[in-house]
Amino acid sequence: MPNRPTSDLLAALEARLGPRGFTRDADAMAPWLKDWRGRVEGAAAALLSPADTDEVEAIVRLAGAAGVAIVPQGGNTSMVAGATPDADGASLLLSTRRMRTIRSVSSQDNVAVAEAGVILSDLHEAANGIGRRFPLSLAAKGSATIGGLISTNAGGTQVLRFGTMRALVLGIEAVLPNGARFDGLSALRKDNRGYDLRQLLCGAEGTLGIVTAASLRLVPAAAARAVAWVGIERADDALGLLRRLEDAMGEAIESFEIIPAEGLALVLRHIAHTRAPLTDPHRWHVLIEATARAGAPSPTDALEQALARAIEEGHAADAIVAASESQAEAFWRIRESLSEAERIDGFAAKHDVSVSVSVMPWLLEDGAAEVEARFPGVRVLGFGHLGDGNVHFNVRAPIGMDSKAWLADQGDDISAYVHDLVRAKDGSISAEHGIGQLKRAEFARTAGATRLHALQAIKQALDPQGLFNPGKLLP
Amino acid sequence: MPNRPTSDLLAALEARLGPRGFTRDADAMAPWLKDWRGRVEGAAAALLSPADTDEVEAIVRLAGAAGVAIVPQGGNTSMVAGATPDADGASLLLSTRRMRTIRSVSSQDNVAVAEAGVILSDLHEAANGIGRRFPLSLAAKGSATIGGLISTNAGGTQVLRFGTMRALVLGIEAVLPNGARFDGLSALRKDNRGYDLRQLLCGAEGTLGIVTAASLRLVPAAAARAVAWVGIERADDALGLLRRLEDAMGEAIESFEIIPAEGLALVLRHIAHTRAPLTDPHRWHVLIEATARAGAPSPTDALEQALARAIEEGHAADAIVAASESQAEAFWRIRESLSEAERIDGFAAKHDVSVSVSVMPWLLEDGAAEVEARFPGVRVLGFGHLGDGNVHFNVRAPIGMDSKAWLADQGDDISAYVHDLVRAKDGSISAEHGIGQLKRAEFARTAGATRLHALQAIKQALDPQGLFNPGKLLP
């Protein structure tokens, strides 16, 4: 059990960090004590905002000597309250927001070195500035930070081609619980010197180390993109379509997102200035983005031809390739507005799950039907990254019911049922959001003894006092 | 300190594994007790060859209860004696050679599930059989096994495009030191349930778990390839050429190998039926392979055009694109015969090091010159995977000297010097071969306290008795 900080410790931290790096002011702290989804409110003894890695090291040493816990926080956009301290107020909240330097960007190495507090969209801009891009993006890009993206092994819409954050991290600098700096920033494409600590820190949710900077992989800028909206009748067709497109266009296919008819209807109902891309209704829709690098032929012709063949072969019912960048943006807007439209429509039991790609059609159709049969009246809305086997499987209240009361009453049972369904297919109860606080109990229930034991042994080995982000991930 | 097995334990193992799975016969064991490079000879109390994961589990439980060590072995092709037991003969040698089932290959999931003892070339064949390929290959593909490739995070010649083994492992089944089976075989593209045990086992050299099976990523088959041989005058030009080709051809560039004039000369001297691809001599040579999937235009025209432009722009002196598959094979044969030619020529102090890609030209030219100045008469031969920042940096004896005696006398000093040179540039002393036994002392000397402490803590947490592959990796 971590200690509450003494006034001596707080004074030492204040002296080390100065007025910009230390505050206990309630108003200044308030926005960072509540999680992004507004479901958890925590408290902290102080908000620390170190300016650099030396200051992070100093904080960890002082807190470690006093047995006081530290909760690291980046953009505070966790979907699972992974950066919100416990309500007891005994922890120190460590924000990386002042560590916003992009130390270097290199088109020779195809690497950017960014501090933990660098905001994703700033990194995108820096990469674009040298004719490269950082190929990971998500809705929260204007506030999500590099440190948070690494600690949660973030996904997004380009995983199909480029993988999750862990595939893009070439080096990590971090401060470990014992106060030592792990200097693994060198961007080595190959390095077989034992257990890969970089990979261990990726997705560890700040429980094993505080990431202070990272070397990140850049790829050539995309010079052109083609965006298509496709109507299909069975989820199974979507998978056939994806493999068909990959055969025809290879790695040019970057995004492949599935949206059910109900999802499109919700967006059209609740989000201004949206319209259905196709005239006829379809059971499912797929949003596809293909890109081409500078000098390569535009991907539009290839995508149009491949889709025409897919329609002939029965993998798709209808399709339209955006004729302009504004139409492409309109297609994407539908996908990106789905969560908001759903929120406006009412509360839902939300699940971020993954299965093998070939099991996705089953989950979207048969799995959804099982849930709807077990909880009569509920409506499953499954959408997301079909090519990654990752679906946002949201269960909405029966029509006419107060969705908030329904969720409070039924939410846990429904979630347990959905997670069991996914686990029975060897899937994951957290595809991209992590465990944090909100999924901790379900993780403990479903993880199995072997995995839990191994994770706890590693945590105990690297953080024997349990001071790094307590109350997250592990039971 | 592990115990020596009692006759009771050996009898129990023999009863459990049967005659095909258990032997103490000296002749049967001999080939597996010597490392591939013939530098280390070990001993074992018995050779165990389990037929399946249940038997591996039984072995680990029996040995664990008795405090007896296990050395896992795949194809026994380690370059660092990573699968050779200690000479004291107290360990059990566990061979995966009977676990050779490819459990499934799926073109829907783009996944193969292979047991640990599956030989790489067999996996290649199975993938080809469904119009896919497994994009990792290396010289030992006829004997290297999946379990060994994972445990050493193997590299090879396609890392530039597809990454090392860890980028291709989607799931792992393993038996942990406590005898529990880690059932992480499900091929999830996204799975954020805490620390990634799959990634932790990749490259752990069998010290944290015995990999019994893996789910592996497949990619679309390549329908055509273009192979070019390029002459250049400065290592720096090679990097410029690589970036130029990537701009022009993107991910079609799969291999980019650099070979110095001396390397080509060695091959021409010692390997029958080889000839120089270009008429004029050049200081450096680059071997390039580009591929195209079925239905895409042949990569030959694009590569020819890109090389013509590179010559115009001064990034290359001369180039030839293979006009036939047999010419392509002849180009590759030069690259693949380099180690053999070098071996015929005499002993050398060999180093498998990596640096940031942009530092490669420095290492190949200035770094090599520093070594030659420090050890007068020696000749550095640096060749390998320039695009990955990984070079085989071999130091040959002065002309006229007995290379074996010279290596025994000077080898350690030279290796320490080379490793320090690489570490000063934040590079790795083991890019793809791992640490095993042969690099253990140098790893301990150069790793730094933070890394060593973290690795030892993890090892202690998961294998408190120190029974899995003792004497490897960690000091």
Side-chain angles (χ1 to χ4, degrees):
Chain A
M1 195 61 188
N3 298 321
R4 196 169 281 276
T6 60
S7 54
D8 278 0
L9 173 63
L10 294 173
L13 289 166
E14 186 165 15
R16 180 69 177 83
L17 300 171
R20 289 189 63 202
F22 181 96
T23 185
R24 304 190 67 195
D25 180 77
D27 288 344
M29 288 168 65
W32 313 108
L33 295 174
K34 196 169 187 171
D35 88 296
W36 188 72
R37 289 172 69 184
R39 295 181 60 176
V40 179
E41 189 143 3
L47 171 63
L48 315 180
S49 306
D52 56 28
T53 306
D54 284 348
E55 291 192 356
V56 175
E57 235 184 274
I59 293 168
V60 173
R61 286 179 193 273
L62 287 167
V68 170
I70 298 173
V71 175
Q73 191 180 82
N76 195 25
T77 60
S78 172
M79 301 291 281
V80 289
T84 307
D86 284 346
D88 66 9
S91 300
L92 300 163
L93 184 60
L94 188 160
S95 168
T96 58
R97 89 177 52 86
R98 286 177 67 207
M99 298 175 64
R100 287 184 60 169
T101 303
I102 296 177
R103 294 187 192 163
S104 63
V105 279
S106 160
S107 57
Q108 283 288 73
D109 272 327
N110 281 335
V111 167
V113 179
E115 293 185 348
V118 168
I119 287 173
L120 180 54
S121 54
D122 290 342
L123 177 66
H124 286 160
E125 233 171 80
N128 293 345
I130 59 159
R132 297 289 184 267
R133 63 178 170 140
F134 179 65
L136 183 141
S137 192
L138 35 71
K141 66 185 170 192
S143 39
T145 62
I146 296 309
L149 293 162
I150 291 172
S151 293
T152 59
N153 183 29
T157 51
Q158 293 160 299
V159 172
L160 182 61
R161 177 167 182 186
F162 296 105
T164 60
M165 198 69 185
R166 72 169 70 254
L168 301 171
V169 171
L170 298 172
I172 284 186
E173 177 192 274
V175 178
L176 303 183
N178 65 359
R181 184 185 306 205
F182 171 63
D183 189 5
L185 208 48
S186 189
L188 302 175
R189 311 264 159 174
K190 285 166 134 182
D191 181 13
N192 278 349
R193 288 176 293 164
Y195 321 145
D196 193 328
L197 296 178
R198 296 169 302 186
Q199 291 293 337
L200 189 60
L201 291 167
C202 257
E205 305 190 7
T207 63
L208 298 181
I210 296 170
V211 174
T212 53
S215 298
L216 300 161
R217 180 183 169 216
L218 304 180
V219 301
R225 68 168 178 174
V227 176
W229 188 275
V230 183
I232 59 175
E233 302 313 330
R234 298 180 315 132
D236 212 31
D237 289 334
L239 190 54
L241 176 63
L242 172 61
R243 296 301 174 227
R244 194 75 195 73
L245 291 177
E246 284 179 337
D247 286 347
M249 302 183 64
E251 286 155 331
I253 304 293
E254 289 201 3
S255 301
F256 193 92
E257 303 278 314
I258 192 162
I259 299 142
E262 304 85 338
L264 175 60
L266 275 182
V267 170
L268 299 180
R269 188 176 320 141
H270 294 298
I271 308 293
H273 312 299
T274 52
R275 46 178 298 227
L278 295 170
T279 319
D280 291 334
H282 300 283
R283 176 72 196 92
W284 298 96
H285 306 268
V286 178
L287 175 66
I288 298 163
E289 178 161 322
T291 65
R293 65 181 183 286
S298 148
T300 305
D301 291 352
L303 187 56
E304 275 173 353
Q305 287 163 24
L307 287 172
R309 271 198 304 276
I311 291 172
E312 272 172 41
E313 292 168 2
H315 289 307
D318 197 1
I320 177 171
V321 177
S324 64
E325 188 53 27
S326 68
Q327 197 177 15
E329 274 170 26
F331 292 178
W332 267 111
R333 185 139 185 268
I334 295 171
R335 166 66 186 88
E336 285 173 348
S337 304
L338 252 170
S339 293
E340 196 192 341
E342 208 185 6
R343 192 182 52 72
I344 294 169
D345 204 64
F347 287 82
K350 299 191 172 191
H351 312 93
D352 159 48
V353 298
S354 63
V355 291
S356 292
V357 177
S358 62
V359 177
M360 270 292 270
W362 174 88
L363 182 62
L364 289 169
E365 290 179 337
D366 303 336
E370 282 188 34
V371 172
E372 289 171 350
R374 170 67 186 73
F375 300 94
V378 304
R379 299 156 298 160
V380 171
L381 187 71
F383 64 93
H385 321 294
L386 183 122
D388 312 327
N390 172 203
V391 67
H392 300 294
F393 192 95
N394 297 342
V395 183
R396 296 155 68 212
I399 291 171
M401 205 173 268
D402 172 348
S403 63
K404 190 171 182 179
W406 164 85
L407 183 63
D409 184 45
Q410 301 266 308
D412 286 353
D413 285 353
I414 292 173
S415 292
Y417 189 85
V418 170
H419 291 157
D420 286 345
L421 204 65
V422 166
R423 288 298 300 137
K425 294 282 181 188
D426 252 348
S428 170
I429 68 160
S430 183
E432 58 179 9
H433 295 164
I435 302 297
Q437 295 184 52
L438 298 181
K439 284 193 173 178
R440 203 159 65 124
E442 277 295 273
F443 177 56
R445 185 178 73 80
T446 59
T450 301
R451 183 189 292 264
L452 276 183
H453 175 265
L455 264 56
Q456 278 167 325
I458 294 167
K459 168 72 175 177
Q460 174 69 24
L462 295 182
D463 184 16
Q465 294 191 85
L467 300 184
F468 270 29
N469 212 7
K472 314 302 184 319
L473 180 55
L474 290 165
Chain B
M1 195 63 185
N3 298 323
R4 195 169 282 275
T6 61
S7 54
D8 279 359
L9 173 64
L10 293 172
L13 289 166
E14 185 164 19
R16 180 70 178 83
L17 299 171
R20 290 190 62 203
F22 182 97
T23 185
R24 304 188 67 193
D25 180 78
D27 288 345
M29 289 168 63
W32 314 108
L33 294 174
K34 197 170 186 170
D35 88 297
W36 189 72
R37 289 172 70 184
R39 296 181 59 176
V40 179
E41 188 142 6
L47 171 63
L48 314 180
S49 306
D52 56 27
T53 306
D54 284 348
E55 291 192 356
V56 175
E57 234 183 276
I59 293 168
V60 173
R61 285 179 194 274
L62 286 167
V68 170
I70 298 172
V71 176
Q73 189 180 86
N76 196 24
T77 59
S78 172
M79 301 291 281
V80 290
T84 307
D86 284 346
D88 65 11
S91 300
L92 300 163
L93 185 59
L94 188 159
S95 168
T96 58
R97 86 177 55 84
R98 287 178 66 209
M99 300 176 64
R100 285 183 63 167
T101 304
I102 295 176
R103 295 188 191 162
S104 63
V105 278
S106 161
S107 57
Q108 282 288 73
D109 272 328
N110 281 335
V111 167
V113 180
E115 292 185 348
V118 168
I119 287 173
L120 180 55
S121 55
D122 290 342
L123 177 66
H124 287 160
E125 234 172 78
N128 292 345
I130 59 160
R132 296 288 184 267
R133 63 178 170 141
F134 179 65
L136 183 140
S137 193
L138 36 70
K141 65 187 171 192
S143 39
T145 62
I146 297 307
L149 293 163
I150 291 172
S151 294
T152 59
N153 182 30
T157 52
Q158 293 160 299
V159 172
L160 183 60
R161 177 167 181 185
F162 296 106
T164 61
M165 199 69 185
R166 71 169 71 254
L168 302 171
V169 171
L170 297 171
I172 284 186
E173 176 191 272
V175 178
L176 304 184
N178 64 358
R181 185 186 305 208
F182 172 62
D183 188 5
L185 208 49
S186 187
L188 303 174
R189 309 264 161 174
K190 284 165 134 183
D191 181 14
N192 277 347
R193 289 177 292 165
Y195 321 146
D196 194 327
L197 296 178
R198 297 170 300 187
Q199 290 294 335
L200 190 60
L201 291 167
C202 256
E205 304 189 9
T207 62
L208 299 180
I210 296 170
V211 174
T212 53
S215 298
L216 300 162
R217 180 183 169 216
L218 303 180
V219 301
R225 68 168 178 173
V227 176
W229 188 276
V230 184
I232 58 175
E233 302 314 330
R234 299 179 315 133
D236 210 31
D237 288 334
L239 190 54
L241 175 64
L242 172 61
R243 296 302 173 226
R244 192 75 195 74
L245 291 176
E246 284 179 336
D247 287 346
M249 302 183 66
E251 287 155 331
I253 304 293
E254 289 201 1
S255 301
F256 193 92
E257 304 277 313
I258 193 162
I259 298 142
E262 302 85 338
L264 175 61
L266 275 183
V267 170
L268 299 180
R269 187 177 320 142
H270 296 296
I271 309 293
H273 312 299
T274 52
R275 48 180 296 229
L278 296 170
T279 321
D280 292 334
H282 300 282
R283 177 73 195 87
W284 297 96
H285 306 268
V286 178
L287 175 65
I288 298 163
E289 178 162 321
T291 65
R293 64 182 183 287
S298 146
T300 305
D301 290 352
L303 187 57
E304 275 173 353
Q305 287 164 23
L307 287 172
R309 270 197 305 275
I311 292 172
E312 272 172 41
E313 292 168 1
H315 290 306
D318 198 1
I320 177 171
V321 176
S324 65
E325 188 54 26
S326 68
Q327 197 175 16
E329 274 170 25
F331 291 178
W332 267 111
R333 183 138 187 268
I334 296 171
R335 166 67 184 86
E336 285 172 348
S337 305
L338 251 170
S339 292
E340 196 192 341
E342 208 185 7
R343 192 181 52 72
I344 295 169
D345 204 65
F347 287 82
K350 299 191 172 189
H351 311 93
D352 160 47
V353 298
S354 64
V355 292
S356 293
V357 178
S358 62
V359 176
M360 272 291 269
W362 174 88
L363 182 61
L364 288 170
E365 291 179 337
D366 303 335
E370 281 188 34
V371 173
E372 290 171 349
R374 170 68 186 71
F375 299 95
V378 304
R379 299 156 297 159
V380 171
L381 186 70
F383 64 94
H385 322 293
L386 183 122
D388 312 325
N390 173 203
V391 68
H392 300 294
F393 192 95
N394 298 342
V395 183
R396 297 156 68 212
I399 292 172
M401 204 173 269
D402 172 348
S403 64
K404 190 171 182 180
W406 165 83
L407 183 62
D409 184 45
Q410 301 267 303
D412 286 352
D413 285 353
I414 291 173
S415 292
Y417 190 85
V418 169
H419 291 156
D420 287 345
L421 205 63
V422 166
R423 288 297 301 138
K425 294 285 182 186
D426 251 348
S428 171
I429 68 159
S430 182
E432 58 179 8
H433 295 164
I435 302 297
Q437 296 185 52
L438 297 182
K439 284 194 174 178
R440 203 158 65 124
E442 277 296 272
F443 177 56
R445 186 179 71 82
T446 59
T450 301
R451 183 188 294 261
L452 276 184
H453 175 266
L455 264 56
Q456 278 167 326
I458 294 166
K459 169 72 174 177
Q460 173 69 25
L462 296 182
D463 184 15
Q465 292 192 89
L467 300 183
F468 271 28
N469 211 6
K472 313 303 183 317
L473 181 54
L474 290 165

